Amino acid sequence: MKTYVFLLIAVLFETFGTSCLQASQQLTRFWPSVGIVVGFGGAFWFFMQVLKVIPLGVTYALWSGIGIVLISISGYFVFGQKLDLWAVVGIALIISGIVVINLLSQTSVH
């Protein structure tokens, strides 16, 4: 369970760092630029902790899938970026993949 908490923390740091990429306006704003370093630094540290328990492929699939969902939500609420129907369908498919990995895969740690 602790491993999945670390994975979620890693994804939250990554989502923060990615949002700061947008907010930094190509590294021209100081605090969002600092947020990039903090966000990705924290994300990679927690990601490394997860890799001690869960195989790389599964970890990266979960990391990227959850990250896509969270950054899409962030883009919508923070930056006013809209998603069309097909983007929502694609994100739903990604969520479905995450569910399949967690419920059915013997590779993932439960």
Side-chain angles (χ1 to χ4, degrees), residues 4-23:
Y4 283 101
V5 171
F6 277 11
L7 179 59
L8 182 59
I9 292 169
V11 174
L12 291 172
F13 267 107
E14 187 266 338
T15 302
F16 174 74
T18 302
S19 295
C20 286
L21 279 173
Q22 177 76 31

Side-chain angles (χ1 to χ4, degrees), residues 15-16 20 26 30 42-43 56 70 77 109:
T15 302
F16 174 74
C20 286
Q26 294 72 44
F30 180 75
L56 175 63
L70 291 180
F77 286 108
V109 176

Side-chain angles (χ1 to χ4, degrees), residues 29-93:
R29 297 179 62 215
F30 180 75
W31 288 114
S33 299
V34 170
I36 293 168
V37 174
V38 170
F40 286 112
F44 289 128
W45 189 86
F46 281 100
F47 188 79
M48 287 185 291
Q49 305 314 305
V50 174
L51 289 176
K52 294 176 183 177
V53 179
I54 303 175
L56 175 63
V58 174
T59 300
Y60 194 75
L62 295 171
W63 155 290
S64 57
I66 297 167
I68 289 168
V69 171
L70 291 180
I71 203 63
S72 296
I73 292 168
S74 171
Y76 181 82
F77 286 108
V78 176
F79 301 107
Q81 299 170 345
K82 307 290 187 240
L83 299 174
D84 64 12
L85 173 65
W86 292 111
V88 173
V89 168
I91 290 169
L93 290 171

Side-chain angles (χ1 to χ4, degrees), residues 4 53-55 58 99-110:
Y4 283 101
V53 179
I54 303 175
V58 174
V99 170
V100 166
I101 288 171
N102 280 291
L103 294 181
L104 303 176
S105 174
Q106 296 302 310
T107 305
S108 183
V109 176
H110 297 286

